[in-house]
Amino acid sequence: MIKIEMPKPDVVIRQREQKPVEGEAIIPSVFGFIDFHKIPRDKGGLLLFFNKDNVLLFVGKARKMRPRLKKHFEDNVSPLKNHRDEVHKIEAFIVEDPMEREIYETYAINVLRAKYNTDKVFY
């Protein structure tokens, strides 16, 4: 039997409001998130989207995480397009190897029971 364990997330961002300090630039909010800059732009990995009750909504993988994350909140083909308001927390895992990304994504979808993933479901 193969034992798989999810690594600890490298970055966790939550919905929050900016409390600007004098002289600080205002960061535009995207569905309540202002910390997209913490997600690496040029690294591959996994993105896990959670609601306020810490229920896993969706698992996605990407070769470049930040652009893919932004697409989930902008385009009309994302599986999250009708559920963007539910997302409260995003966990990002840096996983450079494409095969490892695939394995972790399938594992997370099936063991953590992602609500809106319809592909790769075996339960």
Side-chain angles (χ1 to χ4, degrees), residues 59-73:
V59 178
K61 67 179 185 303
R63 286 179 296 167
K64 296 184 177 184
M65 287 196 296
R66 192 183 320 163
R68 185 67 189 115
L69 174 61
K70 287 184 176 182
K71 281 194 180 266
H72 278 298
F73 288 98

Side-chain angles (χ1 to χ4, degrees), residues 15-42:
Q15 282 183 335
R16 69 180 183 93
E17 288 185 30
Q18 182 182 15
K19 295 178 175 72
V21 179
E22 189 177 326
E24 184 180 55
I26 301 294
I27 301 171
S29 170
V30 178
F31 287 91
F33 291 94
I34 60 172
D35 294 322
F36 284 162
H37 64 280
K38 293 181 179 179
I39 306 285
R41 176 177 308 212
D42 57 346

Side-chain angles (χ1 to χ4, degrees), residues 77-120:
V77 295
S78 170
L80 283 176
K81 71 180 177 191
N82 298 324
H83 311 286
R84 292 174 178 143
D85 291 333
E86 289 181 56
V87 178
H88 182 69
K89 177 177 83 170
I90 301 168
E91 292 182 355
F93 300 80
I94 297 172
V95 181
E96 288 292 339
D97 183 87
M99 183 61 74
E100 284 183 36
R101 279 197 301 264
E102 190 73 37
I103 291 168
Y104 282 132
E105 180 193 35
T106 304
Y107 176 81
I109 289 169
N110 288 284
V111 173
L112 303 176
R113 303 238 174 172
K115 193 173 179 180
Y116 300 124
N117 284 90
T118 54
D119 297 341
K120 301 179 185 178

